[in-house]
Structures are given as structure tokens and as C-alpha cells.
Amino acid sequence: MSDDHTHVQEFFGARAADWDRKFPGDGPAFTTAVTAFGLRPGDRVLDAGCGTGRAITALRAAVGPTGIVLGADVTPQMLAAARRAGRDAEGSLLLADVARLPLRDHVLDAVFAAGLIAHLPDPAANLRELARVVRPGGRLALFHPIGRAALAARHGRELTADDMRAEHNLRPLLSGSGWQMTSYADEDDRFLVLAVRPRHPHP
């Protein structure tokens, strides 16, 4: 376990029990983002860095009873909170590192990742791992229930040009990691980036 993972586990582990109570109004934003993602009945989707599983119910509704919903998180306390909330009834919860997913190549149709990208120890490599488990033509959603400016203000900092989530930084990061950005929205009440895994990637 690297220092990066230990830090992430300590940070989120200490906050897991109160996470949903701290952000009670986020539910509709998750539902709206999942709807915009355009999943189809029967799709196989991973909630990467699922935390307490706030997206899992919406993901299950989108893919229906014939779809597969997986939630993966590296923090045991977050998964325990997801189970307490009953979200394991909507999807399978995995204690797993998104940098090394226990999944076969091309097994998924889509990956939904809420609040994940800022916590990745090696964003390029980790996004490549997400691309590995998604079929060509499959999709990725990077989501946060508030936009970059609102999030920066919440943390008492200024937005800078080197913010990884700025479009001019994120587009080439995705492109170099096996994804092609198809839409970018950074608004007060949501951050939602959609990308596709090209069917014929450039050599």
C-alpha cells in the first residue's frame, strides 16, 4: 500500500460515517449526471471510487435489472457506509484500487467516476487502467456535484491555470490515456466531463 493510498484511506476513512449527512443535497445532481451519461438497459458500468455509493441507485435505474453495476473503492469505511445505506442491494461493492482493477480487459460498457480524478496518484496511468476495462466505444464520465470554482471556494483556494480539471489540461490528459473527450461542463452546480474510448485508437 503506497503512501498515496494510505493518505486517501485515512482522509476518507475518517469521514465515511458522516459523508452522506455532510452533503445531503447532492442526490439529484448525481441522478442528473447519470441521466446525461446516457447509459442503456443491460449496460455494464463501474462506479470508480464509489465512496458511499451515492451514484449506485441512479446507475442501477439506468441499466435496469439486466445490467451490471459495480462499485469499487479503496477505503473500507466508505464501502461499509454504502452497505449501511443499503446500496449493496443495487450493485456489487468491491474493495479495490482503481489503479489495479480486478477486472478483465474490455469487460465494461462505461465507467462513472465522481470526485475521483483529484485523488488519483498517477492520473494518466490510472485513466489508462479505466480505459483497459472498457470496451472500444465505451464511455467515461468524470463528475462532481459542484463546479471547479465552487469547489475551490469551499476549500479556501483560488483556481489556477494548472488545475488538472481545467479543460485545456484535462482534454490532453484524457487523450493520452486512451479517451477522447466529447463534452465538458463546468458550472456552479456541476462538473461533468464525458469521454469515449475510441474504436480505433491512434497508434
Side-chain angles (χ1 to χ4, degrees):
M1 188 65 70
S2 73
D3 290 342
D4 290 308
H5 292 133
T6 301
H7 172 74
V8 167
Q9 286 179 320
E10 288 175 351
F11 179 89
F12 287 105
R15 292 162 175 79
D18 294 321
W19 193 259
D20 287 0
R21 285 194 293 272
K22 188 174 180 182
F23 305 108
D26 285 352
F30 275 82
T31 300
T32 300
V34 170
T35 299
F37 197 16
L39 295 168
R40 296 181 295 267
D43 274 354
R44 298 157 297 178
V45 60
L46 169 69
D47 184 0
C50 65
T52 61
R54 291 183 295 170
I56 285 178
T57 299
L59 292 170
R60 170 56 66 193
V63 304
T66 62
I68 292 173
V69 178
L70 303 174
D73 203 277
V74 75
T75 304
Q77 296 95 323
M78 281 290 195
L79 295 176
R83 292 188 184 95
R84 285 195 299 274
R87 289 162 183 155
D88 54 337
E90 308 284 351
S92 300
L93 301 177
L94 308 173
L95 180 63
D97 181 357
V98 298
R100 290 183 301 278
L101 289 164
L103 299 171
R104 299 192 309 274
D105 292 358
H106 310 160
V107 73
L108 299 175
D109 297 295
V111 172
F112 185 88
L116 176 70
I117 192 166
H119 300 286
L120 295 176
D122 185 345
N126 303 153
L127 287 166
R128 279 195 297 275
E129 173 67 354
L130 296 180
R132 178 188 69 78
V133 299
V134 172
R135 63 171 174 80
R139 288 166 300 142
L140 170 70
L142 301 176
F143 169 69
H144 201 282
I146 58 175
R148 291 190 308 127
L151 185 62
R154 176 185 288 176
H155 293 295
R157 57 178 173 79
E158 298 288 329
L159 275 181
T160 61
D162 63 355
D163 180 358
M164 179 171 51
R165 287 167 289 193
E167 184 174 6
H168 64 268
N169 295 324
L170 188 54
R171 186 180 292 276
L173 175 62
L174 286 166
S175 179
S177 305
W179 299 98
Q180 179 182 350
M181 186 188 292
T182 57
S183 68
Y184 181 95
D186 180 19
E187 301 152 1
D188 284 347
D189 58 354
R190 70 166 181 165
F191 174 86
L192 182 62
V193 173
L194 302 180
V196 65
R197 189 172 183 270
R199 293 181 187 276
H200 305 289
H202 296 296

